[in-house]
Amino acid sequence: TPTDTTDYNTITTSVSVTVNKVTPTITTAPTASAITYGQTLASSTLSDGVGSVPGSFAFTTPATAPNVGTASQSVTFTPTDTTDYNTITTSVSVTVNKGTPMVIWMNPAAITYGVALGTNQLNATTSIPSGNFDYTPALGTVLNAGTNTLTTVFTPASSQKGNYNGATNNVSLVVSNAVLTVTANDASRNYGVTNPVFTASYSGFVNGETNIGPNSVLSGSPSLTTTATINSNAESYLITAAQGTLSATNYSFSFVNG
């Protein structure tokens, strides 16, 4: 536009104008949910963050797996309108809790009474490389027949305690009865005489147990019978062994006739 508009016309031309993106502000930084050691930042949820323009918050390095504790982590705010607005970063506090290792322990195969607990039964493993297992009952214990509960407590090694809690697990172990063989002892008498008192012998005891004395585990007595009477002909007759009142904790019986 000329100063002298009386004698001169206005005229137009074109110029280049650069409009730069605007950098938004973060009104309220988001909060981050706690994660467990071994998880990455991607497992933490960001919530309640507010920017000066519409957009979203995400961790700048979501694949990072932080150590246990609370630390500041970078978060990037990305505007919905990335044509006109820049991204911007801020920091949030993320709490990383100790992890609890997985104790892997399957129910062992059944054993027979008298077999002591060994490494075939007490064989738990964990998902972390080092630590110590304490078992109850302990290695070498002889369990009663039946279904028994085995327990282990895993304590991480000192180098791992900063990142992991201890852990426990239980399994069931079936202990079958040991088989005690009861054999009717052979006997003899003369014709016309009453039968003698029949006796039996025992085999198959375990764990230092017997049928007599302080280590006896038997109660009652087997049934020992024959078809022979005082008037029976002189020949061999079967002495039949059966359970009778015989019983024993941790044992079942197999009977052999005399």
Side-chain angles (χ1 to χ4, degrees):
T1 300
T3 303
D4 180 1
T5 56
T6 301
D7 298 318
Y8 295 94
N9 295 314
T10 58
I11 191 173
T12 61
T13 190
S14 298
V15 297
S16 294
V17 178
T18 300
V19 179
N20 294 319
K21 287 185 179 182
V22 175
T23 299
T25 58
I26 295 174
T27 306
T28 303
T31 57
S33 63
I35 57 176
T36 300
Y37 178 72
Q39 291 183 312
T40 65
L41 292 175
S43 297
S44 176
T45 300
L46 296 171
S47 58
D48 300 327
V50 179
S52 59
V53 296
S56 60
F57 292 91
F59 286 102
T60 306
T61 56
T64 297
N67 288 325
V68 169
T70 300
S72 180
Q73 303 292 341
S74 176
V75 170
T76 299
F77 175 74
T78 302
T80 302
D81 179 3
T82 55
T83 301
D84 298 320
Y85 293 94
N86 294 313
T87 59
I88 188 172
T89 60
T90 187
S91 296
V92 298
S93 292
V94 179
T95 297
V96 181
N97 297 316
K98 284 185 177 183
T100 299
M102 180 183 298
V103 176
I104 304 162
W105 197 14
M106 305 299 291
N107 289 338
I111 59 174
T112 302
Y113 174 68
V115 176
L117 290 178
T119 55
N120 286 335
Q121 294 79 42
L122 308 182
N123 56 359
T125 60
T126 68
S127 54
I128 66 174
S130 57
N132 182 65
F133 288 99
D134 290 316
Y135 292 98
T136 305
L139 186 76
T141 300
V142 175
L143 300 174
N144 288 326
T147 301
N148 295 267
T149 298
L150 309 181
T151 301
T152 189
V153 177
F154 175 74
T155 302
S158 56
S159 60
Q160 300 285 335
K161 284 184 177 179
N163 294 322
Y164 290 99
N165 298 306
T168 63
N169 200 1
N170 300 307
V171 295
S172 294
L173 173 64
V174 174
V175 179
S176 303
N177 287 329
V179 177
L180 195 62
T181 300
V182 182
T183 303
N185 294 324
D186 293 339
S188 64
R189 66 169 174 84
N190 292 327
Y191 174 77
V193 178
T194 58
N195 292 327
V197 175
F198 298 130
T199 60
S201 57
Y202 303 87
S203 62
F205 287 106
V206 296
N207 205 32
E209 296 165 342
T210 64
N211 62 307
I212 57 174
N215 293 326
S216 175
V217 293
L218 295 182
S219 62
S221 60
S223 169
L224 301 169
T225 60
T226 184
T227 59
T229 68
I230 192 171
N231 296 318
S232 296
N233 293 329
E235 58 181 276
S236 294
Y237 294 86
L238 197 67
I239 300 174
T240 302
Q243 180 114 21
T245 60
L246 187 65
S247 65
T249 301
N250 298 317
Y251 291 91
S252 58
F253 300 101
S254 173
F255 296 94
V256 178
N257 298 327

